[in-house]
Amino acid sequence: KKIWKFDFTTLQPQGISKIMILQRLPFFLLCCSSVTAFQPQGRPCRPKTELNVVETAVNRRMAIQSTIASALSFLLYGEPASAESVKTIVITGANSGIGFEAAKKLAADGHRIVLACRSLEKANSAAERIKDATIAKSSLIPVECNLASLKSIRKFASEIGNMDIDVLCLNAGLSMNTDDKEIKRTEDGFELTVGINHLGHFYLSDLLLPKINKQNGRIVVTASGVHDPESPGGGVGKTASLGNLRGFEEDGPLFEMVDGAAYNGDKAYKDSKLCNVLFTRELQMRLLANDSTKGITANSFSPGLITSTNFFRYQNPVFSKVFGVVATNIARVAETPEWGGLSLAYMATSPDTNTQGEYYISPPGSSKYGEAAFGKEFCVGPVSKEAQDDAKAKKLWELSAKLVGLTT
């Protein structure tokens, strides 16, 4: 149920009469009055302990929002919303592009969103913009998580404390200028594109796994069709290939490319998306192999080509502008950021995407169908031949774990 979306001028959603609302009003008022039970009344609700500040605030918000959500749902739809229907969803890169659009959509649907952004300033800004556009800021939790720093990732995992996570969206990413010859590196020395798009998320998922709902939790990875050399975008320029992972294996943190070749910005992005798909498939196999985690699903998806976001900020500005106009208005193969966000939200919460280790994709230009594309044009699709290599997925996992200091 979309318990937060109704006409604030009449308090009357379509199909609900004023008489029906009045009949349910006593229950609504009773539930809302119970919210005061969660607020301090002159003394602490429990003995003072060394509790994480973020976690304490989140727990209080969860209780309050669940109560009000149930009341609103009954008032408008005639049945209380289940407490389980309100999910805690972590989204990396939630301050721009499809991450921001997904956060906005999911927050409007009544979920609690952890805005994991490169800086706290960006996370707070995203919360303010979402609050203005949809709902109160109380269900938006801005936290810094710089994927170019293992230290920052550890700090993020510590700051959210023992929060129960229902969905982890590994969405943030970047693409460097394809003309750049000089390699850029993360705080820990990794090539920046693969370091953020793959290794940062790999490390984050390991730290957060103990906090993910073991019964029906989800991990969603934003990949791309360019991981496949046989796709329209993947076949242009240098194509994705990890080779025998010689760069990871022989060069360690100082690798330039995963396959050991000299740095190429275009290929580095495509390789990072291939890593995303291989990582998702291996992660699902490992989750299923453990009785304590076999209820968690891991899936990846491609949101399609989206040119009108901050994603291409490192590209040549003239090229990006011309490319965006051609892809959007002439070739009509680009998708909108809003539709990309809806795709991520669909992957995070729809019963239709409660699959295991799958990859979802749609034909170019599918955003013209809106949400009607989901389950039709946007559905499970094939991955590249290299992404089907289970032995390579296992080796990538083991070498990635070594690079970020984890044991396999």
Side-chain angles (χ1 to χ4, degrees):
K1 299 293 185 183
K2 294 184 178 180
I3 55 179
W4 292 108
K5 286 194 171 180
F6 57 94
D7 187 345
F8 282 90
T9 62
T10 64
L11 288 180
Q12 184 177 340
Q14 184 177 4
I16 304 294
S17 69
K18 291 182 174 69
I19 293 176
M20 293 170 66
I21 291 178
L22 289 173
Q23 289 172 338
R24 298 165 187 163
L25 192 57
F27 173 82
F28 173 73
L29 294 174
L30 177 63
C31 287
C32 287
S33 66
S34 69
V35 169
T36 57
F38 300 112
Q39 304 297 333
Q41 300 294 328
R43 60 184 178 82
C45 295
R46 51 185 166 179
K48 290 185 178 180
T49 54
E50 293 297 317
L51 290 175
N52 182 288
V53 174
V54 173
E55 180 189 355
T56 304
V58 169
N59 289 341
R60 186 177 296 119
R61 290 172 191 159
M62 288 168 60
I64 293 172
Q65 189 182 28
S66 294
T67 301
I68 295 178
S70 296
L72 277 172
S73 182
F74 181 77
L75 177 67
L76 301 175
Y77 300 104
E79 57 180 293
S82 161
E84 288 77 17
S85 67
V86 178
K87 300 182 182 299
T88 298
I89 303 174
V90 176
I91 305 178
T92 64
N95 59 292
S96 64
I98 70 170
F100 175 77
E101 296 298 336
K104 189 163 63 172
K105 160 67 174 170
L106 292 165
D109 285 347
H111 300 294
R112 292 177 296 275
I113 312 300
V114 179
L115 306 164
C117 303
R118 190 176 40 176
S119 70
L120 186 58
E121 180 183 8
K122 291 182 181 295
N124 281 325
S125 173
E128 287 296 327
R129 285 179 286 138
I130 294 172
K131 178 194 70 172
D132 292 342
T134 56
I135 61 169
K137 191 177 176 180
S138 58
S139 63
L140 302 169
I141 306 158
V143 190
E144 178 180 317
C145 182
N146 182 359
L147 291 166
S149 165
L150 299 183
K151 179 181 178 181
S152 178
I153 297 171
R154 286 193 297 271
K155 182 182 178 184
F156 170 81
S158 174
E159 281 188 346
I160 64 173
N162 294 321
M163 178 189 294
D164 293 325
I165 298 171
D166 295 297
V167 186
L168 171 60
C169 298
L170 303 176
N171 165 75
L174 86 163
S175 175
M176 302 303 296
N177 190 324
T178 55
D179 293 330
D180 277 354
K181 303 302 180 185
E182 183 179 348
I183 187 170
K184 293 180 175 60
R185 295 190 175 274
T186 69
E187 183 179 289
D188 303 279
F190 310 138
E191 186 278 314
L192 192 62
T193 308
V194 172
I196 289 177
N197 297 0
H198 168 59
L199 290 172
H201 280 137
F202 178 88
Y203 188 52
L204 178 64
S205 66
D206 183 85
L207 297 183
L208 296 189
L209 185 59
K211 308 174 194 292
I212 296 177
N213 185 327
K214 300 301 186 294
Q215 301 303 313
N216 54 11
R218 296 189 187 194
I219 299 174
V220 178
V221 181
T222 302
S224 172
V226 301
H227 86 276
D228 185 357
E230 297 182 11
S231 70
V236 178
K238 289 275 190 178
T239 59
S241 176
L242 306 186
N244 61 1
L245 293 97
R246 183 169 60 86
F248 272 17
E249 192 164 32
E250 296 182 5
D251 300 330
L254 298 180
F255 70 90
E256 291 194 11
M257 300 291 290
V258 180
D259 63 1
Y263 175 71
N264 179 281
D266 178 37
K267 186 176 185 298
Y269 176 73
K270 293 171 181 171
D271 284 355
S272 74
K273 297 294 103 179
L274 176 55
C275 287
N276 288 159
V277 178
L278 285 165
F279 158 73
T280 305
R281 290 164 62 87
E282 177 67 13
L283 172 61
Q284 185 65 81
M285 286 194 287
R286 288 172 180 257
L287 292 170
L288 290 172
N290 191 319
D291 285 340
S292 67
T293 59
K294 63 183 180 182
I296 301 173
T297 62
N299 294 282
S300 62
F301 79 104
S302 170
L305 173 63
I306 301 175
T307 60
S308 55
T309 68
N310 197 37
F311 178 76
F312 291 101
R313 60 189 179 275
Y314 293 108
Q315 301 295 341
N316 181 296
V318 175
F319 166 80
S320 296
K321 191 174 184 70
V322 173
F323 178 70
V325 170
V326 172
T328 304
N329 301 321
I330 300 176
R332 298 188 183 279
V333 295
E335 317 296 356
T336 65
E338 293 78 12
W339 191 81
L342 289 175
S343 302
L344 178 52
Y346 176 70
M347 293 296 301
T349 59
S350 173
D352 297 337
T353 55
N354 191 28
T355 51
Q356 297 176 330
E358 299 288 6
Y359 169 70
Y360 289 73
I361 195 169
S362 59
S366 292
S367 61
K368 63 178 175 286
Y369 301 111
E371 293 187 62
F374 302 135
K376 295 179 182 178
E377 287 80 11
F378 185 89
C379 58
V380 173
V383 299
S384 72
K385 293 175 182 176
E386 188 169 352
Q388 298 173 40
D389 188 337
D390 292 341
K392 181 169 290 187
K394 182 175 183 292
K395 185 176 181 180
L396 173 67
W397 183 287
E398 292 170 346
L399 291 173
S400 299
K402 184 177 180 182
L403 285 173
V404 299
L406 298 173
T407 57
T408 58

